Amino acid sequence: MEHNDIETLASEVKGPVLRPGDEGYDQERAGFNLAVQHRPDVIVGATRAEDVQAAVRFAAEHGLPVAVQATGHGFSVPADGGLLITTGRMSGVEVDPAEHTVTVEAGVRFEQVIPETVPHGLAPLNGSAPHVGVVSYVLGGGIGILVRSFGYASDQVRSMDVVTADGSLRHVTADSEPDLYWALLGGRDNFGIVTRLEMNLVPVARLYGGGIFYDAEAAPDVLKAYLRWTEGLPQEMNSSVALIPMPDDPEVPEPMRGRHVYHVRIAYTGSQEEGERLVAPLRDTAGPALFEVLREMPYAESASIHDDPPVAVPFLREVALFEEFGDEALATVLEHAGPEATVPCVVELRHLGGALATPPVHPNAVAHRDAQYILSVVTLLFGVTEKDTRPVLRRLFDALGPWTTGSSLNFMGHGENAGQEQVRTAYAPEALERLGAIKAVHDPENIFRLNYNIPPTGDGASAGS
């Protein structure tokens, strides 16, 4: 690229255009996962759809692959060269309380949406961490804190504005462009960059929720008790359990300091009285609790249930879905990632099922609707390297292989965990074949490949993919 080319691009874009060495370059490329970062040849800080169009056209003209980043939570493949489009400046939020919808621009985080919807008694189907970007989360499926009650967030999408590989801006609905609509919801940024998304809200104003904390040494059978408890629960009951190695740090509350702690998370959409009745059998079988913070809460405070820290950290993550999670699988998790593991791991098991299995009104590419549990294992890379950690997680998930049924883009890791074999596990075989064919139509050169990539297949595929 010549200097004049960059100047021409900058003249077409309202946001910043940055190259290595420019002031602000490092800050612009940084994402939530500090373990890995983009190092693109050029960054476009988009402020509007037209900026995205100009950036995509520039990349196509110069043969550059394109990456897109809002918050960097769902990091897949780092851009080593190429063009990075950052969308954080695209922050518009519009709520239509009469239609029960919200429309967001590409860089919006759920923490910007929830305050706009709760005054109307409505809620988005957000995840446990409200500082996550809306668009990438929803396009990856959207396994949220109310997933059993209302299913995938992607099933609530009404329309999208998307810039495709030719630089055109398309308004996509299930009726106007059914193939592209189907592929984007589950295929993420393989088919273009969504600049605007409209989705349904759900009528939830309050919850019975919070958490129960257990010392893993004093109550070693919490996971087993939790799994038994989830059998037969109504879909209004959403929950997960995490095994967390707490640091021996003065900032950690004394009862949990320096211990492995089980944290059971509850988000129940029914009444407080019924919620307490449903939780009682778990209390009776899980063992002695350190403390609990279950209460009636407005939806605006739902982030306190998981209490995910908003601070960027370096981490490695892997994920698997299960239709059943028996004693052998449980023993395998504890053997490889429990309190005696060689590398400290944060293990979370979420209960799925319920409304997740309901087919969406408008079909999409999100798969594994029969899954009953999702296991996510995260290692914070403080004092350990990714090289040392990866084999630990690999041994765990290889050992779990006989029971796993797939994975999810919402929790999939980066680097080796974002390769073709891993990406395939997120889809049904026939869906993957259809996705490849749609990719060949809309992005035959595969310029959108710095992601959980689906290469173009069929007659429209390019040798450059």
Side-chain angles (χ1 to χ4, degrees):
M1 292 176 293
E2 300 294 333
H3 180 70
N4 288 344
D5 296 332
I6 298 296
E7 286 188 340
T8 300
L9 174 61
S11 70
E12 298 174 353
V13 171
K14 284 192 173 182
V17 175
L18 303 169
R19 299 197 70 182
D22 288 347
E23 183 179 354
Y25 173 88
D26 287 336
Q27 181 180 1
E28 192 72 21
R29 68 188 175 92
F32 187 80
N33 188 351
L34 300 180
V36 58
Q37 293 188 13
H38 292 298
R39 291 178 174 81
D41 294 324
V42 60
I43 303 175
V44 173
T47 64
R48 53 182 186 155
E50 291 85 350
D51 291 355
V52 177
Q53 288 181 273
V56 169
R57 288 171 183 153
F58 178 88
E61 290 169 4
H62 292 82
L64 299 175
V66 175
V68 61
Q69 178 172 280
T71 64
H73 283 77
F75 208 106
S76 51
V77 178
D80 185 9
L83 185 146
L84 171 65
I85 299 172
T86 59
T87 61
R89 295 171 181 82
M90 300 176 68
S91 57
V93 178
E94 298 177 13
V95 176
D96 186 332
E99 290 293 320
H100 287 199
T101 63
V102 62
T103 301
V104 300
E105 291 186 320
V108 170
R109 302 178 302 277
F110 277 110
E111 64 189 6
Q112 296 167 285
V113 175
I114 294 170
E116 301 297 323
T117 65
V118 292
H120 307 289
L122 301 169
L125 293 183
N126 56 279
S128 59
H131 47 279
V132 168
V134 174
V135 170
S136 60
Y137 164 87
V138 172
L139 297 186
I143 297 177
I145 60 172
L146 301 182
V147 66
R148 282 179 47 79
S149 300
F150 298 101
Y152 282 114
S154 58
D155 296 349
Q156 303 298 328
V157 173
R158 288 195 175 192
S159 68
M160 294 164 280
D161 291 349
V162 56
V163 177
T164 48
D166 60 0
S168 63
L169 180 64
R170 298 166 180 257
H171 183 67
V172 175
T173 69
D175 296 325
S176 67
E177 301 221 37
D179 281 346
L180 192 52
Y181 175 94
W182 178 88
L184 284 164
L185 298 174
R188 276 193 26 163
D189 50 340
N190 272 281
F191 306 91
I193 298 177
V194 171
T195 61
R196 187 173 176 273
L197 183 147
E198 178 192 16
M199 62 182 176
N200 296 319
L201 300 167
V202 296
V204 174
R206 39 69 58 199
L207 297 170
Y208 172 68
I212 310 175
F213 295 84
Y214 300 87
D215 178 0
E217 184 176 349
D221 295 326
V222 169
L223 275 175
K224 185 177 290 187
Y226 173 77
L227 285 165
R228 300 292 181 268
W229 174 70
T230 59
E231 297 173 1
L233 285 174
Q235 69 182 42
E236 291 81 9
M237 177 61 77
N238 303 271
S239 67
S240 70
V241 58
L243 176 59
I244 307 169
M246 291 292 186
D248 188 5
D249 188 296
E251 293 188 9
V252 176
E254 194 281 327
M256 299 190 293
R257 193 177 304 158
R259 304 184 185 196
H260 272 76
V261 173
Y262 283 111
H263 180 194
V264 177
R265 292 86 174 258
I266 303 292
Y268 180 60
T269 58
S271 69
Q272 179 175 351
E273 294 74 19
E274 184 64 10
E276 290 174 347
R277 186 189 70 79
L278 288 169
V279 172
L282 177 63
R283 288 197 189 98
D284 294 340
T285 58
L290 288 171
F291 60 93
E292 88 172 47
V293 285
L294 285 172
R295 62 188 175 89
E296 181 87 357
M297 66 172 66
Y299 194 81
E301 297 176 12
S302 60
S304 67
I305 295 172
H306 285 244
D307 199 24
D308 290 329
V311 180
V313 293
F315 64 90
L316 183 66
R317 176 171 58 198
E318 291 201 29
V319 64
L321 290 160
F322 302 81
E323 290 184 13
E324 296 180 354
F325 204 91
D327 290 344
E328 288 185 82
L330 174 58
T332 300
V333 170
L334 292 175
E335 175 188 353
H336 291 273
E340 304 304 319
T342 57
V343 174
C345 298
V346 178
V347 178
E348 185 192 44
L349 188 68
R350 296 192 187 205
H351 188 204
L352 302 179
L356 193 75
T358 304
V361 174
H362 302 297
N364 58 51
V366 179
H368 306 306
R369 294 175 180 270
D370 293 332
Q372 296 298 307
Y373 300 94
I374 184 168
L375 177 75
S376 173
V377 181
V378 174
T379 297
L380 299 179
L381 301 178
F382 294 116
V384 294
T385 67
E386 188 171 320
K387 181 179 178 181
D388 294 332
T389 302
R390 242 181 228 288
V392 174
L393 296 187
R394 189 70 272 137
R395 285 193 293 272
L396 166 61
F397 283 87
D398 284 347
L400 289 170
W403 305 290
T404 61
T405 58
S407 62
S408 165
L409 296 191
N410 280 145
F411 300 94
M412 197 174 285
H414 66 268
E416 294 176 20
N417 294 349
Q420 288 296 306
E421 289 304 314
Q422 186 70 4
V423 171
R424 271 194 254 278
T425 64
Y427 303 100
E430 61 276 12
L432 191 62
E433 183 178 353
R434 183 181 175 190
L435 286 165
I438 296 171
K439 176 82 168 184
V441 172
H442 293 287
D443 183 16
E445 300 292 334
N446 201 11
I447 70 167
F448 298 122
R449 61 179 180 269
L450 300 174
N451 49 26
Y452 298 119
N453 193 233
I454 299 167
T457 57
D459 295 339
S462 166
S465 64

